[in-house]
């Protein structure tokens, strides 16, 4: 499924501009502001999923994801500061609909999605997000002169977790055993994955429109 959902090389219209240093600093600042809203929303969504799965496999997995969002939120502040945004300015930036569609859909999944399908769809999406973060972290150093502290937010998501796939597979296998073989259908998983990846690209391309 990961290969099927992998975006094309040119689907993300902003990442190339960041990679070559042509994305304005104000757009990077907007990225920080929109990410602050996304992280706080996604953290609540993961906690909601953890609560739904409290007595079933997956509860600990989603709780770990929520904890990761908390850590990422702390790393976002130095990046925003390097973009010229104080914490007050970061919070004051209004939401952009195209950027906030992803967390809105994840919130829907937290209430309505099959937890196994959500685990699998997130695993596929995290691969694309991590690759974009890796390219951004490198560009911030090479073209924008950002210090390591200001790049740490992107480094956090770009650093491969060698156990991530194994943990996701373990959750799926445990859930299948817990449910007597029942699990999300392949069509549901693909639907979740396509929607998440589509909204992921919408986030980046909404910001790309601010460059053009």
């Amino acid at each position: 499924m990961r290969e099927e959902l992998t975006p094309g090389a040119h689907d993300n219209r902003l990442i190339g501009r960041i990679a070559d240093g042509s994305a304005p600093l104000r757009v990077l600042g907007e990225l920080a502001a929109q990410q602050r809203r996304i992280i706080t929303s996604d953290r609540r969504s993961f906690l909601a999923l953890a609560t739904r799965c409290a007595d079933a496999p997956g509860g600990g997995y989603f709780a770990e994801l929520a904890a990761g969002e908390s850590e990422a939120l702390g790393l976002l502040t130095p990046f925003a500061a390097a973009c010229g945004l104080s914490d007050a300015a970061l919070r004051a930036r209004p939401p952009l609909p195209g950027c906030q569609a992803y967390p809105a859909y994840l919130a829907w999944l937290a209430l309505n999605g099959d937890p196994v399908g959500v685990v699998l769809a997130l695993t596929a999406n995290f691969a694309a997000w991590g690759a974009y973060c890796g390219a951004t972290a490198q560009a911030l150093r090479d073209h924008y002169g950002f210090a390591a502290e200001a790049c740490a937010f992107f480094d956090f998501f770009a650093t491969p977790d060698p156990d991530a796939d194994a943990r996701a597979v373990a959750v799926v296998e445990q859930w299948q055993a817990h449910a007597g073989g029942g699990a999300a259908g392949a069509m549901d998983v693909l639907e979740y994955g396509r929607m998440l990846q589509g909204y992921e690209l919408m986030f980046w391309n909404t910001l790309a429109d601010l460059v053009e």
Side-chain angles (χ1 to χ4, degrees):
M1 183 183 73
R2 182 175 295 176
E3 291 76 14
E4 184 173 345
L5 297 176
T6 299
H10 303 292
D11 289 349
N12 183 330
R13 293 187 286 107
L14 180 64
I15 200 67
R17 301 295 296 270
I18 295 175
D20 66 14
S22 63
L25 195 61
R26 61 178 176 79
V27 173
L28 296 180
E30 193 63 62
L31 188 158
Q34 298 304 314
Q35 273 297 315
R36 189 196 70 80
R37 292 178 177 273
I38 291 171
I39 291 168
T40 55
S41 177
D42 286 357
R43 178 171 57 185
R44 294 187 187 99
S45 295
F46 291 141
L47 288 173
L49 282 160
T51 300
R52 281 183 61 194
C53 302
D55 298 320
Y61 177 84
F62 289 119
E64 286 182 6
L65 292 182
E69 295 297 304
S70 294
E71 184 174 353
L73 188 61
L75 298 174
L76 186 65
T77 301
F79 169 62
C83 295
L85 290 177
S86 66
D87 188 62
L90 191 70
R91 293 172 180 272
R93 295 296 304 164
L96 298 178
C99 290
Q100 299 306 317
Y102 181 103
Y105 182 64
L106 184 58
W108 184 91
L109 287 176
L111 295 177
N112 301 287
D114 182 286
V116 171
V118 175
V119 169
L120 293 172
L122 285 170
T123 300
N125 176 246
F126 287 164
W129 165 245
Y132 293 147
C133 285
T136 300
Q138 189 63 50
L140 293 179
R141 291 178 167 89
D142 292 346
H143 300 294
Y144 296 89
F146 281 18
E149 184 183 31
C151 302
F153 172 80
F154 297 99
D155 289 336
F156 175 75
F157 287 109
T159 303
D161 180 350
D163 300 321
D165 285 353
R167 286 199 301 272
V169 169
V171 169
V172 173
E173 291 177 343
Q174 291 166 14
W175 195 286
Q176 288 175 329
H178 178 82
M187 292 302 295
D188 286 338
V189 175
L190 285 173
E191 176 186 300
Y192 298 168
R194 289 193 185 105
M195 294 292 283
L196 284 175
Q197 193 55 51
Y199 290 135
E200 170 84 31
L201 289 171
M202 187 183 293
F203 165 80
W204 293 96
N205 290 333
T206 295
L207 295 172
D209 290 340
L210 302 179
V211 179
E212 299 166 355

